[in-house]
Amino acid sequence: MSYQVLARKWRPRVFREMVGQEHVLQALINALDHNRLHHAYLFTGTRGVGKTTIARILAKCLNCETGVSSEPCGQCSSCREIAEGRFVDLIEVDAASRTKVEDTRELLENVQYAPTRGRYKVYLIDEVHMLSNSSFNALLKTLEEPPPHVKFLLATTDPQKLPMTILSRCLQFNLKNMNPERIVQHLKFVLEQELVPYEESALWHLGRAADGSMRDAMSLTDQAIAYGSGKITESEVSAMLGTIDQTAVYDVVTALASYDGRAVLAAVERMSEQAPDYASALAEMLAVLHRIAIAQALPEAVDNSHGDRERILQLSQQMPAEDVQLFYQTALLGRRDLPLAPDPRAGFEMVLLRMLAFKPQGVIEMPTQALPQSNTPIKPVAPTAPANIPANPVVSNPVVAHVASQIPPVPQVSAPQVQEHQAAQPTPVAQAPAPVINQASAPVAPASTPLSAPQPVAPAAMPEPPPFDGPYDNVPDDEYAEYAQAPAYYEAPTVAGQDSVSVGHGVNEPKKSEAAQPPAAAILDSVFNSPAVAAAVETVVPVPKPITPEPVRAKPLRKVPYEQAGPQDWTEIYLGLGVTGILQSTVANCQLTGRQGNTFQFVLDENNSTLFDVSHEKRLADLLTDYFTEAIRVSIQLGKITAETPAMMAIRLREERQLQAIDAIKNDPIVQQLIAQFGATLREDTIQPVN
């Protein structure tokens, strides 16, 4: 005897052998038992859910020799012939191969004749949506008013393609897809009857791969038996289907739940040994995260359709609800972007690392200690002049001395030339003083010798110099006019009470033409932009140290006694709770309005309630219970806020710290000196307070 495939061998022969579709079977059984039969039935649903099977059982019930009932005998000639597909009064038509109107007319020519052997002449038209419009029009009148001995049984996988005129003439039954749990139960029964050893986890793979079709599940089971040489194992079924091992997916999710990046990458490494499809792995992760979210919202709604109910419930206890939502959304977007990654595994790993990188850490930065509420700005102490400044220094700053050595000598002019030049040139008005050099120990150089740079000495603090009102005897007027037009950064600071001398004027030099000398401003610009001067400025120019104010001492938190706890103590109670995560966004925006015994009543700002969840009441009650060491109950209602919440307090303290930081910068002596001497401006938007 030849082998018969499982899908045909285990095809139901009576209604009680059907798996699922109870909503359809109940209507048909009641109609048969009470003799309330319609002349046309339409069965819709995807492939392999039992449309043709139900139609054949219904034909058997109508023509059983024992009478019309929901339980055909299965032994009479009519029942046997229908089961074997050779009953003359059961006309099965494949509409996909007979779409022409001529075929339909030929079929309907015999409708008026009585059945040959049975009680009813049954027309079973499969895939009826494939008929042409002309065929439907030819069928309309007969379908609406057929002879009493005719029954039409129509089956289709695409009812949307049927005309409304056909749908309105039939009783329509929509068959549902089979869930994996029901498929696995039926496969267990079949394999036990067939004496085929199996692993239950392998059957779950087959049930999910069937995608709701019982016929596909039976066909895949046949294939798995052949692949495994008479047995069904999980590893062989996974290899046959090319699916991801569910254990590897759960390893990745478990590592994510522990927020351990090393464990996540190790789980991916183990998964990569199976050469998986990483897009399918992300799809499996999405399914697992979806079931975890359902378990957190309604644990009793989690079914065992994947054989993993216990593990799902365990993960739902380990992962916060906000993390599950974040992981789901990240995996969803990562699945879309995975084809853009240069390597599928690298893209998969980046999706997992992105889940850990963007783990929620709270919505707003909340203080952990109470700060003093004061609007008094911090006033810096005014700097005092150093006590060790030389009485008459000339060159004490090595940088200025180095600058002097870099400037080319300027030709000396005689006194008559000066007088002639002064007569020809107007006297400068409101000009800046000439650049000077401070020297601690060396006297003013005589007119007959050039000025050389002395050895560096220890720098001293330089307060702001007074306006220069001394004589300009050592500087020719024309040269001073050029120096006065030099950039502001050329002016070197001086110390009050010191003599001022010119910089870089050589003596006893041969006179050069004015055309051969470059402008003084260009000379100074090249000198101050030289690397040597820049390095010397960084290492030698003294910078006065700002006076550091006394640090603000945060007053210690006091623990509010349970008996005295009230709305006025809510901010101090909040600071002692240590709230984190999404719960912080809810609790920080709450106002304690009152308490009745151990029940604390809160009002949540309705403008900041988007992340509120009813479970936050229980979590806040647990924190308060730990704080007071008393059993606390919490009631949170949405409404208007009438007092300062912890979130408002955090914003207020942050603004106060910002104002104190701005005042401290404005009153800093270095900043004031930069503004006064160099025309600097202060960008207040870049100032950040130090926590």
Side-chain angles (χ1 to χ4, degrees):
M1 185 177 179
S2 61
Y3 175 74
Q4 190 175 18
V5 298
L6 296 178
R8 294 185 60 189
K9 182 178 180 180
W10 291 95
R11 193 168 202 166
R13 291 171 173 81
V14 291
F15 285 140
R16 66 173 179 273
E17 295 180 1
M18 288 289 300
V19 178
Q21 316 304 346
E22 289 84 1
H23 64 293
V24 176
L25 300 179
Q26 181 177 352
L28 293 178
I29 291 173
N30 291 337
L32 289 167
D33 292 341
H34 297 85
N35 198 20
R36 300 181 62 89
L37 300 175
H38 201 270
H39 59 270
Y41 295 87
L42 174 63
F43 302 102
T44 64
T46 58
R47 78 277 180 271
V49 294
K51 300 184 298 294
T52 306
T53 300
I54 290 179
R56 289 180 178 175
I57 296 175
L58 181 57
K60 191 183 298 184
C61 294
L62 293 172
N63 288 288
C64 182
E65 295 178 0
T66 60
V68 177
S69 68
S70 59
E71 287 285 342
C73 67
Q75 303 297 327
C76 64
S77 59
S78 297
C79 291
R80 291 198 305 269
E81 290 175 5
I82 292 174
E84 296 170 359
R86 55 186 180 86
F87 188 63
V88 67
D89 289 326
L90 176 60
I91 300 98
E92 292 194 26
V93 179
D94 182 15
S97 60
R98 302 186 64 177
T99 60
K100 297 180 181 180
V101 65
E102 293 82 3
D103 299 328
T104 304
R105 288 172 180 170
E106 181 183 354
L107 182 67
L108 297 178
E109 286 178 356
N110 298 322
V111 170
Q112 57 185 340
Y113 301 111
T116 304
R117 292 194 50 197
R119 188 177 295 108
Y120 292 97
K121 182 179 289 187
V122 181
Y123 288 88
L124 175 54
I125 306 177
D126 201 3
E127 301 298 333
V128 68
H129 67 276
M130 298 296 292
L131 293 178
S132 63
N133 290 332
S134 300
S135 299
F136 281 126
N137 292 332
L139 185 63
L140 281 178
K141 192 62 178 176
T142 306
L143 189 63
E144 183 178 5
E145 297 179 357
H149 58 267
V150 174
K151 302 294 181 184
F152 285 97
L153 306 180
L154 311 180
T156 180
T157 57
D158 197 355
Q160 289 80 10
K161 293 184 179 180
L162 294 179
M164 289 302 298
T165 52
I166 296 293
L167 295 175
S168 64
R169 288 167 168 81
C170 301
L171 288 184
Q172 183 174 349
F173 295 96
N174 298 316
L175 278 69
K176 301 177 182 178
N177 285 0
M178 305 287 181
N179 57 50
E181 188 171 16
R182 179 159 289 178
I183 292 177
V184 170
Q185 291 176 357
H186 186 61
L187 291 181
K188 287 181 181 179
F189 171 76
V190 171
L191 293 175
E192 288 172 359
Q193 297 298 319
E194 294 287 333
L195 302 178
V196 176
Y198 64 88
E199 293 180 1
E200 184 175 352
S201 56
L203 300 186
W204 284 105
H205 286 293
L206 296 175
R208 287 191 295 269
D211 196 18
S213 171
M214 184 63 74
R215 183 176 61 230
D216 289 1
M218 302 294 281
S219 300
L220 289 173
T221 304
D222 261 327
Q223 183 179 354
I225 294 173
Y227 187 87
S229 300
K231 64 180 183 301
I232 299 178
T233 61
E234 181 182 8
S235 59
E236 292 175 343
V237 170
S238 297
M240 180 190 76
L241 298 176
T243 57
I244 303 295
D245 186 4
Q246 202 71 8
T247 304
V249 176
Y250 278 111
D251 289 345
V252 174
V253 177
T254 304
L256 287 174
S258 62
Y259 311 107
D260 188 351
R262 179 174 298 180
V264 169
L265 295 180
V268 176
E269 178 67 25
R270 292 192 298 270
M271 179 186 292
S272 65
E273 297 175 357
Q274 305 175 11
D277 179 7
Y278 290 101
S280 300
L282 277 178
E284 293 291 338
M285 282 188 57
L286 286 170
V288 172
L289 292 172
H290 166 248
R291 291 169 57 78
I292 292 175
I294 291 178
Q296 291 176 338
L298 193 64
E300 59 270 17
V302 179
D303 57 13
N304 199 29
S305 60
H306 293 68
D308 55 357
R309 187 175 188 276
E310 295 300 327
R311 196 160 189 177
I312 290 293
L313 293 176
Q314 181 182 2
L315 287 172
S316 66
Q317 299 296 327
Q318 297 178 4
M319 302 174 65
E322 56 268 21
D323 289 2
V324 175
Q325 297 296 329
L326 172 68
F327 293 165
Y328 186 90
Q329 188 66 20
T330 305
L332 200 63
L333 297 177
R335 189 182 182 192
R336 181 197 65 185
D337 299 337
L338 193 61
L340 303 178
D343 177 66
R345 177 179 173 181
F348 181 72
E349 290 178 343
M350 284 300 297
V351 171
L352 301 179
L353 295 177
R354 193 177 305 139
M355 294 177 182
L356 299 180
F358 290 96
K359 177 185 179 297
Q361 297 293 338
V363 177
I364 186 171
E365 177 188 357
M366 307 302 299
T368 56
Q369 290 183 337
L371 297 178
Q373 301 181 6
S374 174
N375 295 325
T376 305
I378 300 174
K379 295 182 179 180
V381 181
T384 57
N388 57 351
I389 298 179
N392 188 22
V394 179
V395 181
S396 62
N397 195 326
V399 176
V400 182
H402 181 75
V403 171
S405 66
Q406 297 291 328
I407 301 177
V410 180
Q412 184 184 10
V413 292
S414 60
Q417 291 175 333
V418 172
Q419 295 176 357
E420 294 176 3
H421 188 75
Q422 291 177 349
Q425 298 288 340
T427 304
V429 180
Q431 296 286 348
V436 297
I437 297 176
N438 299 329
Q439 184 172 352
S441 57
V444 178
S448 60
T449 59
L451 184 65
S452 61
Q455 294 296 327
V457 296
M462 297 179 296
E464 182 178 357
F468 180 77
D469 56 355
Y472 301 100
D473 297 338
N474 295 334
V475 183
D477 287 352
D478 54 347
E479 295 295 332
Y480 170 74
E482 290 186 1
Y483 285 135
Q485 298 174 3
Y489 55 72
Y490 175 65
E491 299 177 9
T494 60
V495 180
Q498 297 176 0
D499 296 335
S500 300
V501 296
S502 60
V503 177
H505 295 281
V507 293
N508 293 335
E509 294 285 343
K511 184 175 182 179
K512 299 181 182 179
S513 63
E514 294 180 2
Q517 292 291 333
I523 297 174
L524 295 176
D525 188 64
S526 63
V527 169
F528 276 94
N529 289 331
S530 65
V533 175
V537 169
E538 291 181 359
T539 57
V540 179
V541 170
V543 178
K545 295 183 179 180
I547 304 301
T548 304
E550 285 293 328
V552 179
R553 301 293 183 183
K555 63 180 182 180
L557 288 175
R558 74 176 182 92
K559 183 173 181 179
V560 179
Y562 171 72
E563 296 78 10
Q564 304 175 5
Q568 70 279 0
D569 305 312
W570 168 231
T571 55
E572 289 186 297
I573 295 174
Y574 170 83
L575 295 176
L577 294 180
V579 191
T580 59
I582 296 299
L583 180 63
Q584 184 184 52
S585 66
T586 297
V587 178
N589 290 284
C590 282
Q591 173 191 351
L592 178 60
T593 57
R595 56 175 290 192
Q596 295 180 356
N598 66 337
T599 301
F600 284 68
Q601 299 171 348
F602 293 89
V603 173
L604 174 60
D605 187 4
E606 58 187 12
N607 297 323
N608 296 278
S609 61
T610 55
L611 298 178
F612 173 67
D613 186 82
V614 292
S615 63
H616 291 174
E617 293 182 347
K618 177 65 169 57
R619 296 170 64 182
L620 177 56
D622 294 340
L623 292 176
L624 290 173
T625 299
D626 295 339
Y627 181 85
F628 291 116
T629 64
E630 296 284 346
I632 304 297
R633 299 179 61 186
V634 168
S635 173
I636 300 178
Q637 302 293 332
L638 300 182
K640 297 290 185 180
I641 296 299
T642 59
E644 186 181 56
T645 63
M648 295 179 181
M649 180 187 69
I651 295 174
R652 175 177 58 79
L653 294 179
R654 188 185 308 160
E655 292 175 351
E656 291 179 1
R657 291 200 307 269
Q658 181 69 23
L659 293 177
Q660 291 178 3
I662 294 175
D663 291 340
I665 292 295
K666 285 183 178 179
N667 296 323
D668 188 271
I670 299 178
V671 175
Q672 293 179 349
Q673 186 175 358
L674 291 174
I675 295 175
Q677 295 189 5
F678 299 102
T681 58
L682 183 63
R683 292 184 57 185
E684 297 184 1
D685 58 328
T686 62
I687 300 176
Q688 295 183 357
V690 178
N691 292 328

